[in-house]
Amino acid sequence: MNGISRPLISTSVINDINQVDFAMPLIDVLVLEGASAASVAITFELIDVANRIRARAGRPPCFDVRVSGSGARWATQLARLPSKANANRPADVVIVPGLAWMDEHLVREGLQRRDAETARKALRAAFQSGAEIASSCSAVFLVASAGLLDGRQATTTWWLGPLFRQLFPRVTLDTDAMVLTDRRMATAGAAMAQLDLMLSIIARHAGPDLADSCARFLLLDRRQSQSRYMALSFLTASDDRVSRAERWARARLHRAFTISELAKAAGLGARTFARRCERATGLSPVRFLQKLRVDKAMELLETTRLGLDDIAEKVGYADPSTLRKLLHREKTPGARAVRAGRKRDSGAAAMTHGARRDATRRRLPASANGTGSSGV
């Protein structure tokens, strides 16, 4: 569909597809000018892979697709679709891929654009006609600005969480979630969460077996949480007092201390610190401190040979079970998985280094390899 060369789909993938046929829903991909090219490409790629897996199984495609919005011409060329495809048929699903609104200024400016207002009207009309609305990253701001997320749960990219809460207080935001579905509204986190969003759409409309087949074909890991990708230092930079508290806490993670002490280190009262911490990071002071400890624990798991009991002590937990519960809640990979991955990476690096060394030796003259006259 989008001109990207792909390997043949294996028979084993095809055989895993659920054998139940589904009605073919129409997906309207609403693309604004300047949208994230990666997010748009991911959308078409997943639709195409799902349809091609079905075709290889001798069955009809599971999705029809069209493009709308101010960026439709560019996106239509990317997807190689007819320019007037399904122009008059109501959409079953409207997908808004991530937008290139990476900071507060761009979000506020983007929401004021004329094409954003046109998109809001289209989204409201589609929702009123019964369509499901799906968006990711900063595109969730566009959907929220249409009033369609009021009273619902949603997620967006983690670093824009504080701004989202400020602009849309009637939406219950959960930036830990990778994908959240609340009735006919689906939202996803940062730009690459478009992968997870598309797999969830495929699962709902064409079956979980096909979604799993798509994930295996594209070598995708099924992720549930953004929390382990969240960089607190990025968020705290917006408030110098919260940033000061972060630096103070990081230097003392090896011991226990109270939230009152943390607030005092920031030069604030406990309630004021709680408000400013929530506004800057989207986390309560308790969750903020737990996040710091979990991040440090993951760093030690990845860079040392320490056992989990020793790591727990180094991040301020006398009882290792507390750390284990937090790691589980944050949906981090287990210690064995982390270290197995590190071992694989180290082995791959060693093999690459050895290959480079052997290649270099083959290129050098015999004297340089030490096999000829040394000149001594």
Side-chain angles (χ1 to χ4, degrees):
M1 177 181 291
N2 55 21
I4 301 171
S5 63
R6 307 178 184 90
L8 292 176
I9 299 172
S10 67
T11 303
S12 62
V13 170
I14 296 170
N15 290 338
D16 286 339
I17 302 172
N18 191 318
Q19 293 303 307
V20 178
D21 283 324
F22 295 84
M24 188 191 307
L26 170 62
I27 293 179
D28 185 336
V29 184
L30 197 165
V31 182
L32 290 195
E33 192 72 39
S36 164
S39 191
V40 174
I42 285 167
T43 302
F44 292 127
E45 182 76 5
L46 266 295
I47 293 171
D48 187 50
V49 167
N51 283 342
R52 292 199 316 118
I53 289 175
R54 294 259 298 195
R56 287 295 303 275
R59 298 163 64 203
C62 47
F63 296 110
D64 208 348
V65 62
R66 72 173 179 224
V67 188
S68 64
S70 58
R73 183 175 180 180
W74 161 75
T76 298
Q77 292 173 346
L78 177 69
R80 296 186 176 180
L81 292 171
S83 59
K84 301 294 184 181
N86 303 293
N88 299 317
R89 178 183 162 194
D92 299 288
V93 183
V94 178
I95 298 174
V96 191
L99 302 167
W101 301 347
M102 302 299 290
D103 58 35
E104 179 174 347
H105 172 72
L106 291 174
V107 169
R108 292 183 183 277
E109 185 180 69
L111 291 176
Q112 298 301 315
R113 284 167 34 177
R114 182 178 299 178
D115 61 345
E117 178 56 29
T118 302
R120 280 190 286 269
K121 292 177 180 178
L123 287 168
R124 293 188 194 105
F127 183 72
Q128 288 171 3
S129 70
E132 174 186 330
I133 310 295
S135 59
S136 69
C137 198
S138 50
V140 181
F141 282 76
L142 179 67
V143 177
S145 71
L148 297 178
L149 294 177
D150 288 354
R152 300 175 186 268
Q153 289 188 314
T155 188
T156 187
T157 184
W158 57 265
W159 69 82
L160 291 175
L163 176 63
F164 190 95
R165 290 186 176 90
Q166 178 185 341
L167 295 179
F168 309 111
R170 297 182 64 186
V171 182
T172 302
L173 186 69
D174 179 4
T175 52
D176 278 355
M178 191 69 72
V179 176
L180 267 178
T181 301
D182 190 332
R183 288 159 286 177
R184 287 189 287 127
M185 290 290 165
T187 55
M192 292 301 104
Q194 187 74 9
L195 288 164
D196 307 87
L197 181 66
M198 292 305 302
L199 289 174
S200 74
I201 290 170
I202 292 169
R204 282 196 302 279
H205 291 276
D209 290 342
L210 181 58
D212 287 341
S213 294
C214 291
R216 289 198 300 273
F217 175 61
L218 295 171
L219 302 181
L220 303 178
D221 293 326
R222 302 301 290 270
R223 304 164 299 173
Q224 295 179 314
S225 173
Q226 292 190 87
S227 61
R228 70 189 184 96
Y229 304 99
M230 186 183 294
L232 281 183
S233 295
F234 183 96
L235 297 174
T236 61
S238 64
D239 188 312
D240 62 336
R241 296 299 184 94
V242 180
S243 183
R244 184 193 304 179
E246 181 201 359
R247 293 192 300 272
W248 184 90
R250 285 189 187 277
R252 294 163 178 80
L253 288 178
H254 59 282
R255 68 175 181 84
F257 50 82
T258 66
I259 298 300
S260 294
E261 290 177 280
L262 186 61
K264 185 178 179 180
L268 298 170
R271 290 185 178 180
T272 302
F273 175 71
R275 286 195 300 270
R276 291 177 67 160
C277 183
E278 180 87 27
R279 187 168 61 242
T281 68
L283 302 173
S284 69
V286 171
R287 290 292 300 273
F288 173 73
L289 183 54
Q290 289 173 342
K291 174 67 176 168
L292 289 174
R293 295 193 191 279
V294 166
D295 286 352
K296 182 62 178 178
M298 290 301 297
E299 177 188 331
L300 292 172
L301 275 172
E302 293 168 355
T303 60
T304 74
R305 295 181 179 275
L306 293 173
L308 201 59
D309 288 6
D310 293 328
I311 289 175
E313 184 177 349
K314 285 186 176 295
V315 297
Y317 292 120
D319 184 356
S321 66
T322 303
L323 177 60
R324 288 188 176 92
K325 290 176 183 176
L326 287 173
L327 291 172
H328 178 74
R329 187 187 73 187
E330 298 293 330
K331 298 182 175 65
T332 60
R336 289 183 180 179
V338 169
R339 285 176 169 158
R342 185 181 67 186
K343 186 175 180 180
R344 286 194 301 270
D345 291 344
S346 298
M351 290 177 65
T352 302
H353 175 73
R356 285 199 303 266
R357 181 188 58 203
D358 292 344
T360 301
R361 284 180 174 173
R362 286 194 295 271
R363 290 194 299 268
L364 291 173
S367 58
N369 283 330
T371 57
S373 172
S374 66
V376 176

